[in-house]
Tab-separated table of all heavy atoms in Angstrom:
chain	number	residue	atom	x	y	z
A	5	ARG	N	57.032	39.550	26.224
A	5	ARG	CA	57.372	40.888	25.773
A	5	ARG	C	56.293	41.452	24.861
A	5	ARG	O	55.953	42.634	24.928
A	5	ARG	CB	58.725	40.847	25.054
A	5	ARG	CG	59.235	42.197	24.639
A	5	ARG	CD	60.594	42.049	23.922
A	5	ARG	NE	60.799	43.177	23.075
A	5	ARG	CZ	60.338	43.300	21.833
A	5	ARG	NH1	59.648	42.333	21.292
A	5	ARG	NH2	60.566	44.383	21.131
A	6	LYS	N	55.689	40.597	24.044
A	6	LYS	CA	54.655	41.054	23.108
A	6	LYS	C	53.394	41.532	23.838
A	6	LYS	O	52.597	42.261	23.269
A	6	LYS	CB	54.312	39.968	22.088
A	6	LYS	CG	53.615	38.761	22.674
A	6	LYS	CD	53.290	37.735	21.616
A	6	LYS	CE	52.513	36.580	22.218
A	6	LYS	NZ	52.165	35.581	21.227
A	7	ASN	N	53.206	41.155	25.099
A	7	ASN	CA	52.077	41.637	25.904
A	7	ASN	C	52.448	42.875	26.715
A	7	ASN	O	51.603	43.737	26.957
A	7	ASN	CB	51.577	40.548	26.848
A	7	ASN	CG	51.010	39.362	26.098
A	7	ASN	OD1	50.524	39.490	24.983
A	7	ASN	ND2	51.089	38.193	26.694
A	8	LEU	N	53.691	42.956	27.156
A	8	LEU	CA	54.138	44.082	27.967
A	8	LEU	C	54.352	45.339	27.122
A	8	LEU	O	53.942	46.433	27.515
A	8	LEU	CB	55.436	43.728	28.701
A	8	LEU	CG	56.067	44.832	29.539
A	8	LEU	CD1	55.115	45.293	30.644
A	8	LEU	CD2	57.386	44.352	30.130
A	9	LEU	N	54.964	45.197	25.968
A	9	LEU	CA	55.301	46.358	25.145
A	9	LEU	C	54.085	47.204	24.760
A	9	LEU	O	54.130	48.428	24.899
A	9	LEU	CB	56.092	45.926	23.910
A	9	LEU	CG	56.631	47.056	23.041
A	9	LEU	CD1	57.497	48.008	23.851
A	9	LEU	CD2	57.419	46.477	21.875
A	10	PRO	N	52.974	46.620	24.315
A	10	PRO	CA	51.810	47.461	23.997
A	10	PRO	C	51.262	48.219	25.210
A	10	PRO	O	50.829	49.371	25.085
A	10	PRO	CB	50.771	46.471	23.468
A	10	PRO	CG	51.528	45.281	23.048
A	10	PRO	CD	52.742	45.232	23.935
A	11	ALA	N	51.297	47.614	26.383
A	11	ALA	CA	50.824	48.290	27.592
A	11	ALA	C	51.723	49.477	27.926
A	11	ALA	O	51.239	50.568	28.243
A	11	ALA	CB	50.768	47.307	28.761
A	12	LEU	N	53.037	49.287	27.832
A	12	LEU	CA	53.975	50.380	28.090
A	12	LEU	C	53.779	51.507	27.079
A	12	LEU	O	53.790	52.690	27.440
A	12	LEU	CB	55.421	49.875	28.013
A	12	LEU	CG	55.870	48.867	29.065
A	12	LEU	CD1	57.266	48.365	28.755
A	12	LEU	CD2	55.814	49.470	30.453
A	13	THR	N	53.571	51.150	25.836
A	13	THR	CA	53.379	52.141	24.779
A	13	THR	C	52.095	52.941	24.994
A	13	THR	O	52.061	54.143	24.751
A	13	THR	CB	53.369	51.448	23.400
A	13	THR	OG1	54.587	50.710	23.253
A	13	THR	CG2	53.272	52.451	22.275
A	14	ARG	N	51.041	52.285	25.470
A	14	ARG	CA	49.766	52.974	25.706
A	14	ARG	C	49.849	54.030	26.798
A	14	ARG	O	49.251	55.092	26.685
A	14	ARG	CB	48.673	51.977	26.056
A	14	ARG	CG	48.144	51.273	24.838
A	14	ARG	CD	46.942	50.407	25.191
A	14	ARG	NE	47.045	49.208	24.395
A	14	ARG	CZ	46.942	47.980	24.853
A	14	ARG	NH1	46.687	47.754	26.120
A	14	ARG	NH2	47.068	46.948	24.057
A	15	VAL	N	50.582	53.766	27.871
A	15	VAL	CA	50.652	54.733	28.965
A	15	VAL	C	51.759	55.769	28.762
A	15	VAL	O	51.829	56.747	29.507
A	15	VAL	CB	50.793	54.056	30.352
A	15	VAL	CG1	49.622	53.142	30.630
A	15	VAL	CG2	52.097	53.343	30.495
A	16	LYS	N	52.585	55.590	27.772
A	16	LYS	CA	53.706	56.499	27.497
A	16	LYS	C	53.264	57.958	27.382
A	16	LYS	O	53.947	58.866	27.847
A	16	LYS	CB	54.412	56.063	26.216
A	16	LYS	CG	55.506	56.968	25.771
A	16	LYS	CD	56.048	56.502	24.435
A	16	LYS	CE	56.852	57.610	23.794
A	16	LYS	NZ	57.185	57.307	22.424
A	17	SER	N	52.119	58.212	26.786
A	17	SER	CA	51.624	59.579	26.593
A	17	SER	C	51.384	60.314	27.905
A	17	SER	O	51.364	61.540	27.931
A	17	SER	CB	50.321	59.559	25.800
A	17	SER	OG	50.529	58.978	24.543
A	18	ALA	N	51.202	59.595	28.987
A	18	ALA	CA	50.931	60.224	30.281
A	18	ALA	C	52.181	60.415	31.127
A	18	ALA	O	52.096	60.864	32.264
A	18	ALA	CB	49.902	59.399	31.052
A	19	LEU	N	53.360	60.104	30.576
A	19	LEU	CA	54.606	60.353	31.304
A	19	LEU	C	54.984	61.828	31.186
A	19	LEU	O	54.844	62.424	30.114
A	19	LEU	CB	55.752	59.516	30.736
A	19	LEU	CG	55.754	58.032	31.043
A	19	LEU	CD1	56.880	57.346	30.282
A	19	LEU	CD2	55.900	57.784	32.527
A	31	MET	N	56.224	54.804	35.406
A	31	MET	CA	55.087	53.949	35.091
A	31	MET	C	54.854	53.133	36.358
A	31	MET	O	55.798	52.628	36.962
A	31	MET	CB	55.395	53.045	33.906
A	31	MET	CG	55.524	53.795	32.618
A	31	MET	SD	55.767	52.667	31.232
A	31	MET	CE	55.900	53.824	29.901
A	33	PHE	N	53.077	50.045	38.432
A	33	PHE	CA	52.503	48.707	38.394
A	33	PHE	C	51.761	48.485	39.712
A	33	PHE	O	52.318	48.693	40.782
A	33	PHE	CB	53.610	47.656	38.266
A	33	PHE	CG	54.373	47.720	36.974
A	33	PHE	CD1	55.421	48.614	36.805
A	33	PHE	CD2	54.044	46.883	35.928
A	33	PHE	CE1	56.132	48.672	35.624
A	33	PHE	CE2	54.743	46.928	34.735
A	33	PHE	CZ	55.794	47.828	34.583
A	38	LEU	N	48.712	48.868	34.874
A	38	LEU	CA	49.885	49.690	34.606
A	38	LEU	C	49.352	51.087	34.355
A	38	LEU	O	48.393	51.259	33.591
A	38	LEU	CB	50.639	49.174	33.375
A	38	LEU	CG	51.774	50.060	32.870
A	38	LEU	CD1	52.923	50.088	33.869
A	38	LEU	CD2	52.266	49.554	31.519
A	39	SER	N	49.952	52.097	34.993
A	39	SER	CA	49.440	53.452	34.827
A	39	SER	C	50.574	54.470	34.824
A	39	SER	O	51.688	54.194	35.264
A	39	SER	CB	48.448	53.794	35.938
A	39	SER	OG	49.076	53.751	37.190
A	40	ALA	N	50.239	55.665	34.320
A	40	ALA	CA	51.141	56.805	34.358
A	40	ALA	C	50.280	58.052	34.489
A	40	ALA	O	49.130	58.076	34.048
A	40	ALA	CB	51.992	56.867	33.100
A	45	ILE	N	47.135	64.478	32.529
A	45	ILE	CA	46.356	63.305	32.144
A	45	ILE	C	46.904	62.078	32.844
A	45	ILE	O	48.074	62.010	33.203
A	45	ILE	CB	46.341	63.057	30.613
A	45	ILE	CG1	47.743	62.723	30.098
A	45	ILE	CG2	45.750	64.215	29.868
A	45	ILE	CD1	47.768	62.158	28.692
A	46	GLY	N	46.046	61.109	33.010
A	46	GLY	CA	46.432	59.814	33.551
A	46	GLY	C	45.905	58.729	32.630
A	46	GLY	O	44.817	58.861	32.074
A	47	ILE	N	46.705	57.694	32.440
A	47	ILE	CA	46.288	56.557	31.620
A	47	ILE	C	46.541	55.289	32.421
A	47	ILE	O	47.604	55.125	33.019
A	47	ILE	CB	47.053	56.496	30.279
A	47	ILE	CG1	46.802	57.770	29.461
A	47	ILE	CG2	46.653	55.258	29.482
A	47	ILE	CD1	47.627	57.860	28.193
A	48	GLU	N	45.557	54.394	32.418
A	48	GLU	CA	45.667	53.119	33.117
A	48	GLU	C	45.200	52.014	32.184
A	48	GLU	O	44.171	52.145	31.531
A	48	GLU	CB	44.802	53.155	34.368
A	48	GLU	CG	44.897	51.922	35.223
A	48	GLU	CD	44.083	52.071	36.495
A	48	GLU	OE1	42.858	52.295	36.408
A	48	GLU	OE2	44.684	51.960	37.565
A	49	VAL	N	45.993	50.945	32.096
A	49	VAL	CA	45.634	49.796	31.273
A	49	VAL	C	45.748	48.529	32.122
A	49	VAL	O	46.555	48.476	33.056
A	49	VAL	CB	46.531	49.670	30.010
A	49	VAL	CG1	46.343	50.852	29.090
A	49	VAL	CG2	47.990	49.502	30.370
A	50	PRO	N	44.947	47.516	31.815
A	50	PRO	CA	45.061	46.266	32.572
A	50	PRO	C	46.375	45.551	32.256
A	50	PRO	O	46.771	45.474	31.099
A	50	PRO	CB	43.866	45.446	32.102
A	50	PRO	CG	43.347	46.100	30.881
A	50	PRO	CD	43.892	47.483	30.820
A	51	LEU	N	47.051	45.082	33.290
A	51	LEU	CA	48.275	44.296	33.129
A	51	LEU	C	48.521	43.546	34.431
A	51	LEU	O	48.796	44.153	35.465
A	51	LEU	CB	49.476	45.190	32.790
A	51	LEU	CG	50.788	44.455	32.539
A	51	LEU	CD1	50.718	43.641	31.242
A	51	LEU	CD2	51.950	45.416	32.496
A	61	GLY	N	59.754	55.453	33.457
A	61	GLY	CA	59.054	55.015	32.262
A	61	GLY	C	59.858	55.018	30.987
A	61	GLY	O	59.844	54.047	30.232
A	62	THR	N	60.584	56.100	30.704
A	62	THR	CA	61.312	56.201	29.436
A	62	THR	C	62.407	55.146	29.318
A	62	THR	O	62.491	54.462	28.291
A	62	THR	CB	61.864	57.630	29.255
A	62	THR	OG1	60.756	58.546	29.283
A	62	THR	CG2	62.593	57.774	27.940
A	64	LEU	N	62.565	52.250	30.868
A	64	LEU	CA	61.904	50.938	30.804
A	64	LEU	C	61.367	50.679	29.408
A	64	LEU	O	61.598	49.606	28.837
A	64	LEU	CB	60.769	50.858	31.826
A	64	LEU	CG	59.943	49.569	31.803
A	64	LEU	CD1	60.808	48.358	32.132
A	64	LEU	CD2	58.769	49.675	32.770
A	65	LEU	N	60.680	51.639	28.826
A	65	LEU	CA	60.135	51.478	27.483
A	65	LEU	C	61.255	51.276	26.472
A	65	LEU	O	61.156	50.435	25.582
A	65	LEU	CB	59.273	52.684	27.102
A	65	LEU	CG	58.597	52.612	25.742
A	65	LEU	CD1	57.688	51.399	25.624
A	65	LEU	CD2	57.816	53.884	25.482
A	66	GLY	N	62.346	52.016	26.614
A	66	GLY	CA	63.488	51.861	25.717
A	66	GLY	C	64.105	50.480	25.778
A	66	GLY	O	64.399	49.869	24.747
A	67	LEU	N	64.275	49.954	26.983
A	67	LEU	CA	64.856	48.612	27.144
A	67	LEU	C	63.951	47.538	26.548
A	67	LEU	O	64.415	46.656	25.815
A	67	LEU	CB	65.090	48.306	28.622
A	67	LEU	CG	66.254	49.019	29.286
A	67	LEU	CD1	66.183	48.844	30.794
A	67	LEU	CD2	67.566	48.477	28.753
A	68	VAL	N	62.664	47.606	26.871
A	68	VAL	CA	61.737	46.572	26.401
A	68	VAL	C	61.540	46.662	24.887
A	68	VAL	O	61.509	45.648	24.199
A	68	VAL	CB	60.385	46.662	27.146
A	68	VAL	CG1	59.371	45.695	26.568
A	68	VAL	CG2	60.588	46.372	28.630
A	69	SER	N	61.442	47.868	24.343
A	69	SER	CA	61.194	47.998	22.903
A	69	SER	C	62.411	47.622	22.065
A	69	SER	O	62.263	47.156	20.934
A	69	SER	CB	60.723	49.405	22.549
A	69	SER	OG	61.720	50.350	22.815
A	70	ASN	N	63.621	47.786	22.595
A	70	ASN	CA	64.826	47.453	21.834
A	70	ASN	C	65.345	46.048	22.085
A	70	ASN	O	66.298	45.623	21.435
A	70	ASN	CB	65.929	48.469	22.135
A	70	ASN	CG	65.615	49.813	21.546
A	70	ASN	OD1	65.323	49.924	20.365
A	70	ASN	ND2	65.638	50.836	22.365
Side-chain angles (χ1 to χ4, degrees):
R5 185 180 156 275
K6 68 179 184 179
N7 296 333
L8 177 61
L9 186 56
L12 295 174
T13 304
R14 282 187 218 130
V15 301
K16 176 185 164 190
S17 300
L19 286 174
M31 292 184 181
F33 295 83
L38 172 68
S39 62
I45 65 167
I47 300 174
E48 184 176 59
V49 296
L51 183 68
T62 301
L64 176 62
L65 182 59
L67 286 168
V68 174
S69 64
N70 290 308

